Amino acid sequence: MVRREIIGRYRGSFLGLLWSFVNPVLMLTIYTFVFGFVFKARWGQDNTDKYEFALVLFTGLIVFNLFSECIARAPGLILANVNYVKKVVFPLEILPWVALGSALFHAGISLGVLFIFLAVLGHDFSWTMLYLPVLLLPFLLLIMGLSWLLASIGVFIRDVGQIIGMALTVLMFMSPIFYPLSALPETVSRYLLLNPLTLIVEQVRNILLWGQHPNWSYLAIYSITSLFIAWLGRLWFEKTRKGFADVL
């Protein structure tokens, strides 16, 4: 189903799956030109690298896009697959996994583009990049928990899809994607850590671009919280799925 989901997105287009590679290349090129050469934006006051801001921004957006693609689709997953609810015995709980698999495919392509640009620019590759799966595992658990929860609620409350769209926009600008967390006063930055994207964006950026180790204390708390949300989301989904057919 993940394979069908990915291929179906590009079916009928001239470039086909190649679009999944062309899009991130184009976006990173635009970010580099606009922020590096037009606005001359720099990540940090003492930084003179005209390419780094675009790379930092692109890395943060990879994490955000993985999250937003799954969460934005979650409220409509059951509504878009009514036949699976009414006509066949189907494990509806795998539908969020299908959305996650598709999002992971595109995130993987974007990561590949990032690594290519880093190699072209002569950036050092640190072994701390190997920590990436460790950081993503609790993040994916969080996404799945929220997806199960929203997929269920979306069946009963159709407005939730509109609310999620606005919430994702708020989360994007309240995450350290366009600015470093260190640029904010401590009284403000501590509240940004409540954003589920903040820690992962910061940690992924640190291990991929700057060769730093993850903050294991924060990551442990994040992992426990993600595991709880995943369990709660699945429990809610199983409790409410019996009413899907009646509502639909």
Side-chain angles (χ1 to χ4, degrees):
M1 291 187 71
V2 173
R3 180 175 177 272
R4 186 180 67 178
E5 174 82 14
I6 295 170
I7 294 175
R9 178 177 298 193
Y10 303 103
R11 183 179 291 117
S13 62
F14 181 72
L15 294 180
L17 276 176
L18 192 58
W19 278 116
S20 63
F21 179 78
V22 171
N23 284 332
V25 169
L26 180 61
M27 294 312 299
L28 184 51
T29 303
I30 292 173
Y31 294 153
T32 302
F33 173 72
V34 173
F35 292 102
F37 294 91
V38 178
F39 291 127
K40 295 181 171 42
R42 299 295 182 264
W43 196 265
Q45 295 180 349
D46 301 327
N47 197 304
T48 58
D49 188 349
K50 56 182 175 293
Y51 299 104
E52 187 172 56
F53 189 93
L55 294 172
V56 170
L57 173 61
F58 187 70
T59 304
L61 287 175
I62 291 175
V63 176
F64 173 77
N65 289 337
L66 173 60
F67 181 84
S68 64
E69 184 175 343
C70 296
I71 300 303
R73 291 186 57 194
L77 283 177
I78 306 299
L79 300 174
N81 295 277
V82 176
N83 289 338
Y84 290 150
V85 179
K86 291 187 173 183
K87 296 182 179 180
V88 295
V89 178
F90 184 84
L92 296 173
E93 65 272 10
I94 74 168
L95 292 176
W97 284 111
V98 175
L100 178 61
S102 175
L104 278 173
F105 171 79
H106 292 98
I109 297 295
S110 296
L111 277 173
V113 171
L114 175 65
F115 291 150
I116 291 172
F117 268 69
L118 290 175
V120 170
L121 296 175
H123 194 281
D124 293 331
F125 285 85
S126 173
W127 67 270
T128 57
M129 292 179 174
L130 298 176
Y131 284 128
L132 184 60
V134 179
L135 292 177
L136 288 183
L137 181 58
F139 186 52
L140 299 183
L141 284 174
L142 175 69
I143 290 174
M144 284 304 302
L146 293 176
S147 295
W148 278 318
L149 185 66
L150 292 171
S152 172
I153 295 175
V155 175
F156 303 100
I157 306 175
R158 306 297 172 88
D159 293 339
V160 71
Q162 306 300 323
I163 297 172
I164 291 301
M166 293 186 292
L168 286 172
T169 301
V170 173
L171 282 177
M172 181 176 68
F173 288 103
M174 294 300 291
S175 304
I177 296 175
F178 299 93
Y179 51 85
L181 194 61
S182 58
L184 300 174
E186 187 177 351
T187 52
V188 177
S189 62
R190 70 177 64 174
Y191 291 107
L192 257 65
L193 289 173
L194 298 175
N195 182 338
L197 291 168
T198 298
L199 179 67
I200 301 300
V201 167
E202 284 276 298
Q203 299 300 303
V204 168
R205 184 183 289 149
N206 288 344
I207 66 168
L208 293 184
L209 300 181
W210 298 310
Q212 299 177 10
H213 293 272
N215 187 317
W216 297 113
S217 299
Y218 283 142
L219 188 61
I221 297 172
Y222 191 92
S223 299
I224 294 171
T225 305
S226 297
L227 189 61
F228 174 74
I229 292 175
W231 171 80
L232 188 64
R234 179 62 187 275
L235 181 65
W236 173 268
F237 188 88
E238 292 299 327
K239 291 292 185 182
T240 56
R241 67 183 298 170
K242 296 177 183 178
F244 290 171
D246 296 334
V247 175
L248 295 174

